[in-house]
Amino acid sequence: MVENKVKVFGEYLKNKRKEKGLSIRKLEELSGVSNAYLSQLENGKRGMPSPEIIKKINGPLGVEYDELMEKAGYIDLHPETVSIIKNNDLNEVLTNAAEIFIKSVTGKDGEITPDYRNNIIREIQREYSIGKSEVEEIVNDDFINKLVKNLTLEEKISFLNIMIKDFEERNIDAQGVFETSSICKNNTVKTLRVPVLGHIAAGLPITAEEHIDEWTEIPNMWNLKESEVIVLKVKGDSMIGSRIYEGDRVVVKLQSDVESGEIAVVNVNGDEATLKRVKKSQNGQVILYPDNPQYEPIFIAHEGARIIGKVIQVIFEPK
């Protein structure tokens, strides 16, 4: 079955090349992909090309990247995943994804969190009928690193796709999360100099000197003005379900309102600002949801909630 798909793709590739009037040698020259590899692709002897190879050949063939990705069997990928792979270095994106995942299931000491470790143990026992003590020896603190390292390229891309779907469900900007350093190095994105706030107390201007710990520069992917953005240091663990941990930083676009379901920075009843997911009821009540089942939602009247801004990017703090 897989072999037939590979041959069908090879024929499709050959037809597209001939439609453009290109020899394999010419396609090699235009794409930087060796003619030997291209020949094997067309003859169905090399399996499906990686997204990076597709990125190199789609232009010379005059075929949209998304179309080639679909023909190569990446049809089930979320559109945002395809876009991120297309616009960034794949290896850097996959490395970032692995680091984000590892951080989300380990503590500050690098050990697997008890809940995640127990989940893994249960899944392995159920799948392979192995005794618990034997599984516990396998699932040590280096287990996650080894697991991620041994994934195939297809498995890594599939895992990236799952993460991006999850980000979308949680209203997290996946493009911002997986923004690679190469974009900044190429100066294709201008930077913003913005204040980094340790907290936001009620009754003071947002950027009051008392709030500012330091200043930093961030890529301006949103074409915003410096006065429209702040960076806030995350405190506590109420948003770990959205993979936002204490010590991380969130980029906040200053605005007085957000859509229901978005993550925002909010002053509640004159207290210090908090980071929560905002839900709005039809009767005007505002519900601030933590993304951690250990905490209860906060129910407040609309006039008691002062929305400071919307979280548009999470800057994950490396260990």
Side-chain angles (χ1 to χ4, degrees):
M1 188 71 167
V2 174
E3 186 177 341
N4 288 339
K5 289 182 179 179
V6 171
K7 288 183 177 179
V8 169
F9 178 79
E11 285 296 322
Y12 165 83
L13 205 62
K14 183 185 294 184
N15 291 335
K16 287 297 179 182
R17 175 176 60 79
K18 289 182 176 180
E19 284 175 12
K20 292 293 289 184
L22 301 175
S23 66
I24 287 187
R25 291 280 184 186
K26 187 62 177 178
L27 183 55
E28 174 189 43
E29 179 186 329
L30 294 173
S31 67
V33 179
S34 74
N35 70 84
Y37 178 82
L38 291 169
S39 178
Q40 289 177 325
L41 269 183
E42 290 187 358
N43 292 319
K45 296 180 179 179
R46 280 301 295 264
M48 291 299 187
S50 71
E52 287 297 281
I53 295 294
I54 292 174
K55 195 183 296 184
K56 292 179 179 180
I57 64 176
N58 79 286
L61 289 175
V63 182
E64 289 294 328
Y65 180 79
D66 294 13
E67 180 182 337
L68 262 188
M69 286 285 284
E70 181 178 339
K71 294 291 183 181
Y74 297 100
I75 190 171
D76 292 331
L77 291 184
H78 190 282
E80 190 80 349
T81 306
V82 175
S83 175
I84 287 173
I85 292 174
K86 176 183 178 182
N87 296 319
N88 298 282
D89 180 270
L90 179 61
N91 288 331
E92 288 189 30
V93 170
L94 294 178
T95 297
N96 288 345
E99 290 176 352
I100 292 168
F101 168 68
I102 290 171
K103 182 175 180 180
S104 72
V105 299
T106 58
K108 292 184 177 180
D109 53 5
E111 296 183 357
I112 303 173
T113 60
D115 286 346
Y116 192 76
R117 188 168 187 269
N118 290 333
N119 286 338
I120 294 175
I121 290 171
R122 283 195 297 268
E123 288 297 321
I124 293 177
Q125 281 186 282
R126 184 169 56 187
E127 184 72 21
Y128 299 102
S129 301
I130 303 175
K132 184 176 181 180
S133 59
E134 187 177 349
V135 178
E136 286 176 340
E137 290 183 13
I138 297 171
V139 186
N140 53 33
D141 289 331
D142 200 35
F143 176 82
I144 297 297
N145 287 310
K146 289 180 179 178
L147 178 67
V148 170
K149 184 178 180 180
N150 290 323
L151 292 176
T152 66
L153 178 61
E154 287 185 357
E155 288 170 337
K156 289 178 180 178
I157 292 172
S158 177
F159 185 70
L160 170 68
N161 193 54
I162 292 170
M163 289 184 69
I164 289 174
K165 285 181 178 179
D166 184 55
F167 281 148
E168 183 182 56
E169 290 174 0
R170 299 177 183 278
N171 290 307
I172 296 175
D173 178 17
Q175 289 280 359
V177 171
F178 292 103
E179 193 70 36
T180 61
S181 59
S182 60
I183 294 178
C184 302
K185 291 175 183 176
N186 292 333
N187 294 321
T188 57
V189 178
K190 293 182 179 180
T191 59
L192 284 173
R193 185 173 183 269
V194 296
V196 178
L197 279 55
H199 70 288
I200 302 175
L204 290 174
I206 295 168
T207 55
E209 286 298 321
E210 293 92 329
H211 297 158
I212 299 174
D213 287 353
E214 58 182 299
W215 289 78
T216 189
E217 290 192 352
I218 59 172
N220 185 11
M221 288 93 71
W222 316 276
N223 293 319
L224 296 172
K225 299 176 182 178
E226 291 187 348
S227 59
E228 296 175 324
V229 185
I230 61 170
V231 171
L232 180 66
K233 293 180 180 178
V234 177
K235 295 180 180 179
D237 59 356
S238 67
M239 298 301 289
I240 61 174
S242 291
R243 298 189 178 89
I244 303 175
Y245 293 84
E246 183 164 17
D248 290 341
R249 301 180 178 196
V250 290
V251 180
V252 181
K253 178 187 176 186
L254 300 178
Q255 55 188 66
S256 60
D257 198 11
V258 295
E259 296 293 327
S260 185
E262 292 182 327
I263 298 175
V265 178
V266 188
N267 270 131
V268 181
N269 295 326
D271 292 332
E272 186 173 314
T274 183
L275 186 67
K276 294 291 185 291
R277 190 178 299 280
V278 176
K279 298 287 181 70
K280 300 176 181 178
S281 64
Q282 293 182 346
N283 62 7
Q285 189 177 47
V286 175
I287 309 171
L288 303 181
Y289 279 94
D291 283 341
N292 184 338
Q294 295 183 7
Y295 296 91
E296 296 293 328
I298 302 171
F299 296 83
I300 51 177
H302 185 272
E303 59 272 14
R306 175 200 176 203
I307 293 175
I308 292 171
K310 169 186 171 182
V311 173
I312 56 176
Q313 185 182 1
V314 182
I315 303 173
F316 297 94
E317 188 69 18
K319 291 184 182 297

